[in-house]
């Protein structure tokens, strides 16, 4: 998949918006368009950043037994909290991720691989959501 990160990243982002078209309102660079501008540098940049972070979290989980931590996790939580991201949004992104990885690995795709990517994503999403909850509690205090 490393060889095709830009295309897979855009596929990942496009899949997310196909599953949940209303999510376009969460992205400032998509608010004024009815379609996903495939060549927009902001779209490409964001797509690559999100896809790479998710892939890196899967690698970290395999190597260290944990996903993103520290300042990266706090940044992700804060960004998601302030954008109004909720639990159901994470499920949409998970489905888009699994579709993208399946496309990226082709014939190598199997239930074990699906399970591993699901586990990695679930742990990343849980870590982000736990940190979001902490920040929300601090704001309310």
């Amino acid at each position: 998949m490393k060889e095709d990160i830009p295309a897979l990243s855009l596929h990942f982002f496009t899949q997310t918006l196909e599953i949940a078209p209303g999510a376009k309102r969460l992205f400032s660079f998509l608010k004024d368009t009815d379609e996903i501008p495939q060549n927009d540098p902001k779209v490409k940049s964001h797509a690559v950043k999100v896809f790479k972070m998710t892939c890196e979290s899967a690698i970290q989980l395999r190597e260290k037994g944990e996903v993103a931590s520290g300042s990266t996790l706090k940044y992700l939580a804060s960004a998601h909290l302030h954008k109004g991201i909720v639990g159901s949004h994470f499920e949409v992104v998970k489905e888009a991720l699994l579709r993208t990885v399946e496309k990226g690995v082709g014939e190598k795709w199997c239930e074990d691989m699906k399970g591993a990517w699901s586990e990695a994503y679930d742990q990343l999403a849980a870590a982000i959501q736990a940190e979001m909850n902490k920040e929300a509690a601090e704001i309310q205090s």
Side-chain angles (χ1 to χ4, degrees), residues 86-93 129:
V86 296
S88 59
H89 294 134
F90 286 94
E91 289 303 313
V92 168
V93 173
Q129 290 177 71

Side-chain angles (χ1 to χ4, degrees), residues 37-113:
Q38 302 287 319
N39 293 316
D40 184 305
K42 291 179 183 174
V43 171
K44 287 181 176 182
S45 173
H46 186 77
V48 167
K49 184 168 49 172
V50 171
F51 188 64
K52 280 180 127 178
M53 172 61 134
T54 305
C55 292
E56 287 167 5
S57 292
I59 292 166
Q60 263 189 303
L61 179 63
R62 185 180 65 218
E63 292 176 356
K64 298 178 183 177
E66 66 178 2
V67 294
S69 60
S71 61
T72 300
L73 185 57
K74 287 184 184 301
Y75 167 77
L76 288 171
S78 185
H80 284 81
L81 181 66
H82 294 290
K83 285 288 187 179
I85 304 300
V86 296
S88 59
H89 294 134
F90 286 94
E91 289 303 313
V92 168
V93 173
K94 178 181 179 178
E95 180 60 30
L97 173 70
L98 294 175
R99 289 180 185 182
T100 302
V101 173
E102 181 177 8
K103 176 182 171 129
V105 299
E107 293 178 7
K108 294 179 184 176
W109 184 250
C110 64
E111 284 303 310
D112 286 344
M113 188 177 289

Side-chain angles (χ1 to χ4, degrees), residues 26-42:
L26 298 170
F27 303 96
S28 60
F29 50 86
L30 293 177
K31 286 183 180 176
D32 298 326
T33 181
D34 291 331
E35 57 188 51
I36 302 166
Q38 302 287 319
N39 293 316
D40 184 305
K42 291 179 183 174

Side-chain angles (χ1 to χ4, degrees), residues 1-2 4-13 51 100-101 103-105:
M1 289 194 317
K2 288 180 183 178
D4 207 12
I5 290 284
L8 288 172
S9 297
L10 197 53
H11 179 77
F12 175 55
F13 194 71
F51 188 64
T100 302
V101 173
K103 176 182 171 129
V105 299

